[in-house]
Amino acid sequence: MNGLSLSKETQENISQVIGVDFASIVDYEPLEEMSLIGKTIVFSKKRNLKKIGRGNPLLARHKIRTLDDVNKKLSRIK
């Protein structure tokens, strides 16, 4: 792990919401996470004017690219 940890209360809340023990969630592979959630996790492409200027500046400037976007742009290169 990278030195960050969650409090016991937060871990218990996550376990209750998801319905799986927190220790097993930490060990999940990315494909297992996607199957648990049921869809891929993506950033919204819609601009919300209420949120611009707050949070992640890369989101506000549309600088975050998904792997699908990168693959599309790479496929255009000859």
Side-chain angles (χ1 to χ4, degrees):
M1 200 171 205
N2 58 7
L4 300 175
S5 62
L6 299 175
S7 69
K8 282 288 188 194
E9 183 180 359
T10 303
Q11 292 176 7
E12 290 171 5
N13 289 338
I14 291 171
S15 296
Q16 287 176 355
V17 168
I18 296 177
V20 180
D21 183 43
F22 182 77
S24 62
I25 294 170
V26 172
D27 295 332
Y28 275 3
E29 296 293 325
L31 292 176
E32 291 174 316
E33 290 176 10
M34 285 184 222
S35 67
L36 178 67
I37 294 171
K39 58 183 178 179
T40 58
I41 301 169
V42 296
F43 289 103
S44 175
K45 299 277 185 171
K46 296 178 185 176
R47 287 186 73 178
N48 185 346
L49 296 177
K50 295 178 186 175
K51 293 182 182 178
I52 292 177
R54 295 186 292 160
N56 191 337
L58 296 176
L59 282 174
R61 295 185 199 128
H62 300 285
K63 297 293 183 184
I64 292 182
R65 294 193 177 39
T66 62
L67 285 176
D68 293 334
D69 295 338
V70 172
N71 288 335
K72 284 178 189 175
K73 290 183 180 192
L74 286 175
S75 67
R76 291 186 206 152
I77 298 174
K78 294 182 181 179

